[in-house]
Each structure stands twice: as structure tokens, then as C-alpha cells.
Amino acid sequence: QVQLVESGGGLVQPGGSLRLSCAASRSIFSFNRMGWYRQAPGKERELVATIFSTGSRNYADSVKGRFTISRDSAVDTVYLQMNSPKPEDTGVYYCTGSDGVSQYWGQGTQVTVSS
């Protein structure tokens, strides 16, 4: 059973920084792509960032230039570095991985951007 475990969420001030981690129970290279989604109260879940097995990356327009997705295969972990967060970045952040057969989800971690 594949597990994705997020950590690193919490309260952060606007303009600060926060790093989310997603630890996978198997090699991150077994996934075609991994990424982060978020869901704000009353809104649909939206894609924030994706990293493909090739290393290429995609970002939502709303976070380009502020967030960075990265990975460390030595510890099978994917990260989301959040710089200069804004109050509208508040939500539950979910890690996801897809291997072409199934899509897997973590349990989510709450991020609150507030002064």
C-alpha cells in the first residue's frame, strides 16, 4: 500500500516562508509525476505544482515565482517551498503521486497565511 505523508504545515505570516514535505513509502521515481494540490474552505481542490519523473516542473499561475517544487530521491521526499505566501494561499495542501495506473493522495496538511 502506497503512503504519502505530508508535514510542515502551520501558521505563516504574509511574506514569510514555509516548506512542506511529502514522504513516500516507495521510490519517488516509481511515480510518473508527483505534485501538490490545495483546497481552501468552500472551494474546489486546485493544482499548485507538479514535478515529473523527467524533472520538469509546472506551476499554477497564482504561485509562479513564489513557490518551488523539488525532490530528494535519497529520502523519497517531495517538497514545496512557499516563499512570500499570501492570505489567499491558505488551505489544506495535499501531496499526490501518479504511476499511470493509480493516483495516490496524502492526508493533507493545513497552511494558514495570516498576520
Side-chain angles (χ1 to χ4, degrees):
Q1 182 178 0
V2 177
Q3 288 188 322
L4 301 174
V5 180
E6 302 100 334
S7 62
L11 175 64
V12 60
Q13 292 187 344
S17 64
L18 195 68
R19 189 178 77 161
L20 306 183
S21 301
C22 171
S25 60
R26 72 185 198 197
S27 170
I28 58 174
F29 288 121
S30 68
F31 300 97
N32 296 333
R33 62 183 186 273
M34 298 190 72
W36 292 91
Y37 281 72
R38 68 186 179 192
Q39 187 166 21
K43 295 188 177 181
E44 294 186 354
R45 193 174 295 190
E46 63 174 351
L47 180 61
V48 176
T50 304
I51 185 166
F52 296 88
S53 56
T54 57
S56 62
R57 299 164 172 83
N58 286 338
Y59 297 94
D61 288 342
S62 59
V63 306
K64 281 182 182 177
R66 299 187 298 118
F67 291 8
T68 302
I69 188 170
S70 63
R71 64 189 179 190
D72 185 345
S73 59
V75 290
D76 292 319
T77 299
V78 174
Y79 304 97
L80 185 69
Q81 178 68 42
M82 304 171 61
N83 294 333
S84 300
K86 304 174 182 179
E88 51 264 42
D89 294 321
T90 294
V92 179
Y93 282 69
Y94 297 91
C95 176
T96 185
S98 175
D99 60 11
V101 176
S102 299
Q103 186 166 12
Y104 307 93
W105 294 90
Q107 80 287 353
T109 185
Q110 175 70 43
V111 173
T112 302
V113 184
S114 175
S115 55

